[in-house]
């Protein structure tokens, strides 16, 4: 027994049969749902088991995720976890001041280099005989890296 055409419902004979989209069609009935342009196996696009030409193929649009109770619960839990993390970060950073510059790999490298430089011993300290106590303090304030901690002379007592 010959199948029926998916468009017109009449019998489709083997010589005029197009078998596509899990249906049987007459060659003339296999056309775009919108513009009625006759299609073939090379130029059709199927959508929901219906044939379309390229120009009228339905565009799939994305839908918004529904606010189901589970999605609302996950959103709230995520916000709470975020607040806990930021509060913890804030509490840890209290009193340390803040820096607008982020801690980039380059800044980390510079900080490490600076630490290495500050640990280098530059030789014996300048002779205290060359400086008055006030001048020595000024020298140390202006050149903190010139003398490593192990070679620094004791700081003079500050006169009150």
């Amino acid at each position: 027994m010959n199948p029926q055409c998916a468009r017109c419902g009449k019998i489709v004979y083997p010589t005029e049969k197009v078998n596509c989209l899990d249906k049987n069609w007459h060659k003339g009935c296999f056309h775009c749902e919108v513009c009625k342009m006759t299609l073939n196996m090379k130029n059709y696009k199927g959508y929901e088991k219906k044939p379309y030409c390229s120009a009228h193929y339905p565009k799939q649009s994305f839908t918004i995720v529904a606010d189901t109770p589970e999605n609302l619960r996950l959103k709230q839990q995520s916000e709470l976890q975020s607040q806990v993390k930021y509060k913890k970060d804030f509490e840890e950073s209290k009193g340390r001041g803040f820096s607008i510059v982020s801690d980039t790999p380059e800044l980390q490298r510079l900080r490490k280099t600076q630490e290495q430089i500050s640990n280098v011993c530059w030789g014996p300290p300048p002779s205290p005989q060359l400086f008055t106590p006030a001048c020595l303090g000024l020298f140390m304030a202006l050149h903190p890296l010139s003398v490593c901690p192990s070679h620094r002379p004791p700081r003079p007592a500050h006169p009150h």
Side-chain angles (χ1 to χ4, degrees), residues 25-117:
W25 313 77
H26 291 108
K27 287 180 184 177
C29 290
F30 191 64
H31 57 73
C32 175
E33 291 287 312
V34 178
C35 68
K36 311 297 185 219
M37 179 177 91
T38 302
L39 302 170
N40 59 42
M41 298 298 287
K42 293 181 182 177
N43 67 357
Y44 86 96
K45 290 191 172 194
Y47 182 78
E48 294 182 352
K49 305 267 185 183
K50 295 178 183 176
Y52 292 89
C53 65
S54 295
H56 295 109
Y57 182 72
K59 304 280 188 277
Q60 293 183 352
S61 60
F62 298 101
T63 58
I64 297 172
V65 177
D67 284 334
T68 62
E70 179 64 8
N71 285 345
L72 291 171
R73 184 189 68 77
L74 290 172
K75 180 180 174 186
Q76 185 179 20
Q77 181 180 2
S78 177
E79 287 173 357
L80 287 173
Q81 287 175 344
S82 178
Q83 288 173 0
V84 166
K85 180 188 180 319
Y86 287 121
K87 180 165 175 53
K88 179 181 172 220
D89 290 348
F90 172 74
E91 292 295 331
E92 287 175 358
S93 68
K94 268 188 184 175
R96 282 192 288 167
F98 66 94
S99 173
I100 296 172
V101 180
S102 62
D103 203 15
T104 64
E106 179 65 11
L107 285 176
Q108 290 174 354
R109 185 188 66 77
L110 288 171
R111 190 177 301 113
K112 186 176 179 183
T113 303
Q114 186 65 35
E115 287 172 8
Q116 290 171 344
I117 290 170

